[in-house]
Amino acid sequence: MDFKLTRLAPTPSGFLHLGNLYSFLVTKALAEKSGAKVLLRIDDLDRERYRPEYVQDIFDTLDFMEIGYDLGPKSIVEFEQEWSQIHRMGEYSQALDTIKEKKLLFACGCSRKKIQQMNPEGYYLGHCQTRNIPLERNDTCWRMDTFAGEFIQVNTYTEGKKAYVLPEESAFFMVRKKDKLPAYQLTSIIDDMYYGVDLIVRGQDLLGSTLAQHFLADELGLHSFQDASFYHHPLLKAEKNKKLSKSEGATSIQFLRKEEKKVTDIYGIMGKMLGASEEVKDFDSFKKHLDL
């Protein structure tokens, strides 16, 4: 299969760790195989956790690991002046207006603590859907009414078109946060369509996000998003099969660099985490252990 554009889409909410790097490298491998160009698209609307040093870490990590890209910013200054999501607020607002006019939204004032109390797994199951809270009320987010959702068709990279049901973890997903900024599920769709991305690479843990975004894209009439292909790669796991994450303090690439680890050392660490039977020391040997 041939594709035009894929993307690296890190969030500057912490220093990048080995799981982020693994996803970058899988994306690079798929881009090479399919002939797609690579876009660096940084998701920076989580303003509470945004730090310039996290943005710089993205550039430093890509440079250190020799991961090139064809489109996107080359520095913090260029990113903030030309590529930040702040410059696409008009597109996000237009999308929010569209779903608001279609009466697909409801306001929700639930805190994370309250959601956890109502559901031990932390899933939001539509508590405010029938409360008729005015959308204009302060300290509320906007959520999609997904109650009538049916099967969602996804073009997968490896298995063709597959049908899924929106899982509980993705039901009634947020499209505007309490700070009135657009939420991830909406901005991710708009950004990918804005740049013309047709191959989207994500971890398996983000399949629920993909389904939520397909649901939203259908309501927005964004058929090009539904026509894109998706590859959900296995996750790189830490000890005891634990998912790597910034919030859990996963070992960062920055830390490994400060420990004077070389590129070959980092590939070797990932190889062991992948359970590779042969030594992994560079990108070519890394690709041999991918089922692409």
Side-chain angles (χ1 to χ4, degrees), residues 225-249:
F225 182 84
Q226 295 167 312
D227 291 340
S229 291
F230 291 76
Y231 179 70
H232 295 89
H233 60 73
L235 300 182
L236 197 64
K237 296 291 185 70
E239 294 181 1
K240 300 181 181 179
N241 207 36
K242 195 172 184 180
K243 175 187 171 184
L244 293 170
S245 71
K246 296 171 186 173
S247 60
E248 294 292 334

Side-chain angles (χ1 to χ4, degrees), residues 1 154-164 230-232:
M1 289 183 286
V154 178
N155 289 326
T156 70
Y157 179 82
T158 54
E159 301 175 87
K161 193 175 287 291
K162 291 188 67 175
Y164 298 88
F230 291 76
Y231 179 70
H232 295 89

